[in-house]
Amino acid sequence: MPSDDTDNFARQRRALDRLGVLLGPRVRRDVSLAQYTTYKVGGPASLFMAARSIDDLHAVSNALREQRVPILVIGRGSNLLVADEGFEGLVVVLGEFAEEITWPQRPGVPRVVAGGAVPLPVLARQSAARGLTGFEWGVGVPGSVGGAVRMNAGGHGSDVASSIESAKVFHLGKGIVANVKASDLGLRFRGSDIQPYHVVLSASFALSWGDQTASETEMSEIVRWRREHQPGGHNAGSVFVNPEPGGGSAGAIIDRLGLRGLRIGSAEVSEKHANFIQCDPGGSAHDVAEVMAEVRSRVYDELGIDLHSEVRLVGFDAETAREAGAQVGGAFDGAETTARSLTKLDALFGPLAGDDTLSAVKMAPPLPPEAIAELQELFGDTGAIARPDATPGDHSSDSSSSEVATDASRATSGDTPVADVVDISTAAQLRTANDTAAGVPVMIDDSDHLLPHERTEGSASLTLDPTSPFANTAAAVGGSSMADVIVDERIGRRSWWKRLAPKRVSPLVGFGIVIGIVALVLVVLASPLFAVRRIDVTGVTYADPTLLESVSDSLRGASVFTADLDGAKRRLEGDPWVARARLSWYLPNRVAIEVDERVAVAWFVGVDNRARVLDFEGRVLAVLDGQPTQFMKIEGVGPNLPPGTVPSLVYQAAAQLAVSLPESLASKVKHLNVNGPESLGFTLKSGTVVTLGAPTDIRNKLISVVTVLNQQNVEFIIGIDVSAGQPVVQNG
């Protein structure tokens, strides 16, 4: 009987409603997804949740065990196309907890750990600002770390696989977090084994220490090249994956057919790059999908090349996605795991269970008859194992004939030989009575019924040489049988230190020994052999040289065992430039000082007309008479703060903004503006003044600014005010 689409739709709506009840205030309903993708088109998500902590993800996992619905995890949305009708499922966006970056300090291991929600351009620029090289290519990829790991994003001769070491992945189906090695992620050209129910919480990248200027120059060249060769506006970057090596680029293949400018409705193939599909503001996602399908169809019909898309279609039917050469995003079906071969990533978590709770039980094959017989002989109840021809209680005088018959029965039946059945009640009573009459103490020996690992050494059987005088166990040994004597050579055996005879030491001698040891220690500590004569300092560029010399003088000449390294460390870390200091001593006379300095990013002028240099956290590192033009300037007159202090929140936000500007803005910004505690902004080189207002919600405000600049010519814009959330543009 064919399935009823109406019933299926109603069933899914009920599941979504129940899931919404389970997640409670964590979720919102019918949230537009257009703002979360670079195409800026598409309908709403039935349920939307911004995960603010790992607990929120566990709540989603628990709810999904109760109600299975489609799930979609969105990063920067740079490879998604959402249908105009929206997405009937749950959309999860990682919050600020996944935006943290852990930076190394020179000269340590250059390993960077970035949260899954960190934008790649931000990671690239901040890495370069700290002297790290190897991630410059990320400045031109408008995606997040999590999406980049899933797609193995790349460009300009490199990709994620070239530097990633591991990723922390959360399994929404099982509620498990695992640290996955790069080799287990299944990374391949623009793809990986990461599934819709996997959430990349963070990734660790192995970079290299390099030259900051060279890295920034390389990134500027990448930005320039992309600006010249790739269009702006609403798109998702390259649409189709390049064919196999030697097949040429997808853009060149589309160009051969002259498809630039091909338009269907509100979407068209870009005139600037044939592998980009543009969408008009307020356009239709279905128009974009139709252009994808048309381009793919013509390329296949005329050139025989089957193009596949990097873009994932969300909310579309399978037929539309197949025609566009794309995958359907947002699935969450246990069949995904079984329909494909298990990967190394699957092995880490285990495949999804069919009932969402327990995996299928696998029964072991039955044991062979020989094994069953052996187990019965070892563990079976003696009274329960009887021969086919034996009757309990039948004590025939002709035992030999009974045994022959029993043996014959065993031979013909094929049963496993078992011990004779003995009625122990009567035999035990008779033996006890006889032993009592003879004056023999009653002893119970159950050693034959113990398993090998349960037997003690005393109960182990002995094998004696027949020629031994003790071969006859009934022979007397000193008036007793051998069974009465157990000799263990270990008894009385003592460790050598226990065999040493304790000697009494007088208190006076003991006191003299203590005084001698103390005197020896003092002589060693005072010996010039261990006096600090060599001090090696690394990592110092801007730190106060006078302070460093003073600290070195305080250590020089002291014993390496008693030198006040902790005090020297505290003095060094009192310098605003010093983030961390490590001091170590080495025999016989060397002390090593390793200094990690803070990185300057911006500066402003105080009332005294002197420049205050700030680090990323907004801390004042130095007060200078000149103007440090190598850093971003914060326009406006600020407070007269001494080194080591932290200015108000607006200046802290300005310092962070100096290194976090999107790549499309960084090269256009002339300087930052601070006109009061609630007035942050920046001025473009074109003269356009951007007002961000209060130093809150900076990320969304910057997104609005970038959107306006992509839609209009900056030369005709006098100002952009996003202080109220929505951009207000003043044109000239």
Side-chain angles (χ1 to χ4, degrees):
M1 180 177 180
S3 60
D4 189 339
D5 292 340
T6 304
D7 288 347
N8 290 337
F9 177 79
R11 189 180 301 111
Q12 184 160 333
R13 292 303 305 180
R14 287 195 299 271
L16 286 168
D17 290 340
R18 295 190 189 104
L19 187 70
V21 172
L22 291 172
L23 293 176
R26 287 185 171 93
V27 297
R28 292 184 290 157
R29 296 177 182 270
D30 299 324
V31 175
S32 174
L33 296 180
Q35 58 184 319
Y36 294 98
T37 68
T38 55
Y39 263 122
K40 301 302 179 185
V41 295
S46 299
L47 297 176
F48 180 90
M49 177 176 138
R52 294 179 172 83
S53 67
I54 191 69
D55 292 336
D56 286 346
L57 294 180
H58 279 289
V60 172
S61 178
N62 293 333
L64 289 175
R65 291 192 183 96
E66 299 291 334
Q67 295 295 329
R68 174 65 65 85
V69 301
I71 182 80
L72 176 67
V73 181
I74 293 182
R76 305 283 290 180
S78 60
N79 68 329
L80 295 178
L81 179 64
V82 181
D84 299 325
E85 295 78 12
F87 176 61
E88 292 288 338
L90 171 65
V91 170
V92 176
V93 174
L94 295 183
E96 294 181 356
F97 84 100
E99 295 179 353
E100 297 181 358
I101 305 176
T102 303
W103 299 104
Q105 298 291 335
R106 278 185 187 265
V109 178
R111 177 180 296 109
V112 177
V113 180
V118 173
L120 290 186
V122 172
L123 180 59
R125 290 193 177 278
Q126 293 190 14
S127 296
R130 288 166 171 78
L132 292 162
T133 183
F135 210 84
E136 291 82 357
W137 62 270
V139 75
V141 180
S144 64
V145 168
V149 173
R150 178 174 182 174
M151 293 298 297
N152 188 23
H156 302 277
S158 189
D159 58 10
V160 166
S162 64
S163 59
I164 188 172
E165 289 184 323
S166 63
K168 182 178 290 185
V169 181
F170 184 90
H171 196 302
L172 286 171
K174 291 180 173 291
I176 300 173
V177 178
N179 289 312
V180 184
K181 296 184 297 183
S183 58
D184 293 337
L185 290 171
L187 297 174
R188 50 190 177 272
F189 184 75
R190 301 299 178 264
S192 71
D193 290 337
I194 297 176
Q195 299 300 311
Y197 42 80
H198 293 138
V199 181
V200 178
L201 300 178
S202 65
S204 174
F205 299 96
L207 305 181
S208 303
W209 295 113
D211 180 64
Q212 176 182 349
T213 304
S215 296
E216 291 177 346
T217 301
E218 181 179 349
M219 289 191 298
S220 298
E221 179 62 22
I222 291 174
V223 172
R224 182 198 63 78
W225 185 92
R226 293 180 73 91
R227 187 180 297 115
E228 291 180 357
H229 295 84
Q230 296 179 357
H234 299 168
N235 62 70
S238 297
V239 173
F240 296 103
V241 180
N242 293 337
E244 295 298 326
S249 68
I253 292 172
I254 298 171
D255 247 345
R256 289 168 57 185
L257 302 182
L259 296 180
R260 292 196 190 198
L262 171 66
R263 173 174 283 270
I264 298 178
S266 59
E268 69 172 354
V269 177
S270 171
E271 294 281 3
K272 199 170 187 178
H273 194 300
N275 200 21
F276 280 61
I277 296 178
Q278 303 285 107
C279 186
D280 297 339
S284 167
H286 283 274
D287 291 344
V288 177
E290 286 190 33
V291 173
M292 293 171 59
E294 180 65 20
V295 169
R296 181 168 178 264
S297 175
R298 292 197 189 182
V299 169
Y300 184 79
D301 292 342
E302 299 186 33
L303 301 178
I305 299 175
D306 190 8
L307 294 178
H308 295 279
S309 176
E310 298 181 26
V311 180
R312 291 177 179 266
L313 270 56
V314 177
F316 291 86
D317 58 82
E319 180 65 23
T320 301
R322 183 166 57 252
E323 291 177 355
Q327 298 183 37
V328 176
F332 187 30
D333 186 357
E336 286 191 32
T337 310
T338 57
R340 56 184 175 83
S341 59
L342 294 182
T343 64
K344 292 182 180 180
L345 184 58
D346 293 325
L348 290 176
F349 294 102
L352 287 176
D355 61 354
D356 304 331
T357 53
L358 298 175
S359 299
V361 178
K362 294 183 178 180
M363 301 299 294
L367 294 175
E370 296 79 3
I372 295 176
E374 184 176 353
L375 290 173
Q376 288 176 337
E377 188 172 350
L378 288 174
F379 301 104
D381 183 2
T382 306
I385 304 176
R387 304 176 189 277
D389 57 346
T391 303
D394 182 12
H395 303 286
S396 173
S397 59
D398 191 0
S399 61
S400 60
S401 61
S402 176
E403 290 175 2
V404 171
T406 302
D407 291 339
S409 174
R410 280 201 303 264
T412 57
S413 64
D415 293 339
T416 303
V418 295
D420 293 338
V421 178
V422 180
D423 186 353
I424 62 173
S425 56
T426 305
Q429 293 174 2
L430 180 61
R431 184 168 59 252
T432 302
N434 294 337
D435 290 344
T436 302
V440 179
V442 178
M443 299 180 65
I444 300 175
D445 184 6
D446 62 350
S447 60
D448 290 338
H449 301 285
L450 298 178
L451 298 176
H453 70 278
E454 295 176 324
R455 298 177 182 174
T456 62
E457 291 188 88
S459 65
S461 59
L462 299 177
T463 302
L464 299 180
D465 189 331
T467 61
S468 169
F470 302 108
N472 183 5
T473 56
V477 182
S480 301
S481 68
M482 193 173 176
D484 297 329
V485 182
I486 301 177
V487 179
D488 191 339
E489 295 180 355
R490 295 175 298 178
I491 298 178
R493 182 185 300 168
R494 302 169 61 189
S495 303
W496 62 270
W497 59 85
K498 294 183 179 179
R499 294 199 299 270
L500 295 177
K503 298 182 179 180
R504 301 176 64 87
V505 179
S506 66
L508 185 61
V509 173
F511 181 73
I513 293 174
V514 172
I515 293 298
I517 294 174
V518 172
L520 179 61
V521 171
L522 293 177
V523 169
V524 171
L525 294 179
S527 172
L529 177 64
F530 300 107
V532 176
R533 291 195 294 273
R534 177 183 169 189
I535 300 177
D536 298 331
V537 181
T538 57
V540 173
T541 303
Y542 300 105
D544 186 359
T546 304
L547 174 62
L548 186 61
E549 185 63 28
S550 174
V551 170
S552 299
D553 290 342
S554 67
L555 297 175
R556 194 172 285 110
S559 172
V560 293
F561 300 108
T562 59
D564 187 11
L565 300 185
D566 289 338
K569 177 178 182 295
R570 288 192 296 270
R571 290 181 61 191
L572 288 173
E573 291 180 348
D575 188 325
W577 282 99
V578 178
R580 188 180 297 104
R582 295 181 293 275
L583 287 82
S584 308
W585 58 266
Y586 300 91
L587 293 176
N589 52 24
R590 182 169 75 93
V591 170
I593 301 176
E594 300 175 86
V595 175
D596 296 335
E597 291 188 332
R598 295 186 171 90
V599 179
V601 298
W603 64 280
F604 68 90
V605 176
V607 178
D608 58 0
N609 204 31
R610 302 181 70 192
R612 268 71 181 175
V613 180
L614 305 179
D615 70 350
F616 177 73
E617 298 175 343
R619 181 183 289 101
V620 178
L621 301 180
V623 178
L624 306 177
D625 292 324
Q627 296 189 0
T629 57
Q630 67 268 38
F631 312 126
M632 179 73 74
K633 182 181 180 181
I634 303 174
E635 191 69 30
V637 179
N640 289 340
L641 296 177
T645 57
V646 178
S648 60
L649 181 61
V650 68
Y651 278 96
Q652 297 177 42
Q656 296 177 12
L657 184 62
V659 293
S660 303
L661 288 169
E663 74 282 358
S664 58
L665 279 179
S667 60
K668 300 177 182 179
V669 174
K670 180 180 180 181
H671 55 72
L672 306 178
N673 301 324
V674 171
N675 298 317
E678 297 294 322
S679 181
L680 174 65
F682 54 87
T683 301
L684 302 181
K685 295 176 182 178
S686 62
T688 303
V689 177
V690 179
T691 303
L692 300 177
T696 58
D697 200 22
I698 299 298
R699 177 180 177 182
N700 289 332
K701 292 176 181 178
L702 287 176
I703 292 175
S704 299
V705 172
V706 173
T707 301
V708 172
L709 294 177
N710 286 337
Q711 293 175 348
Q712 300 186 30
N713 190 337
V714 69
E715 301 295 335
F716 300 102
I717 301 177
I718 297 177
I720 305 174
D721 187 350
V722 292
S723 57
Q726 295 297 324
V728 178
V729 181
Q730 180 182 1
N731 293 318

